[in-house]
Amino acid sequence: MSGIRKPAVILADSTEEYMATSDPYKSPPKSKLHIQKLVQYAERVGKKIEELTAEEILQFKIP
């Protein structure tokens, strides 16, 4: 491995939301992905989740 990682898919609406520290006393934000369907897709195509492309991941984005 070369040590170079591809950029992550960031689903946050703003950089503040992405960088913010979570508050354990508040309800967590709603997921922006159908996680269960994403995992099922990864298993079906024989890939690990981190091997999926951005296009594959964004198929499961919640509108």
Side-chain angles (χ1 to χ4, degrees):
M1 221 170 150
S2 66
I4 299 173
R5 297 184 69 195
K6 62 182 179 182
V9 176
I10 299 174
L11 297 171
D13 294 328
S14 66
T15 54
E16 291 81 22
E17 179 184 358
Y18 177 70
M19 300 298 288
T21 304
S22 60
D23 184 350
Y25 300 105
K26 291 184 179 178
S27 297
K30 295 196 181 228
S31 177
K32 296 186 180 196
L33 288 175
H34 291 285
I35 302 295
Q36 184 177 13
K37 291 180 181 180
L38 178 65
V39 171
Q40 290 171 349
Y41 172 79
E43 290 173 349
R44 191 171 60 245
V45 297
K47 292 182 178 180
K48 295 179 181 178
I49 291 177
E50 55 269 6
E51 294 172 347
L52 296 174
T53 64
E55 292 81 24
E56 290 174 309
I57 293 171
L58 290 176
Q59 293 178 43
F60 302 98
K61 186 174 180 180
I62 297 171

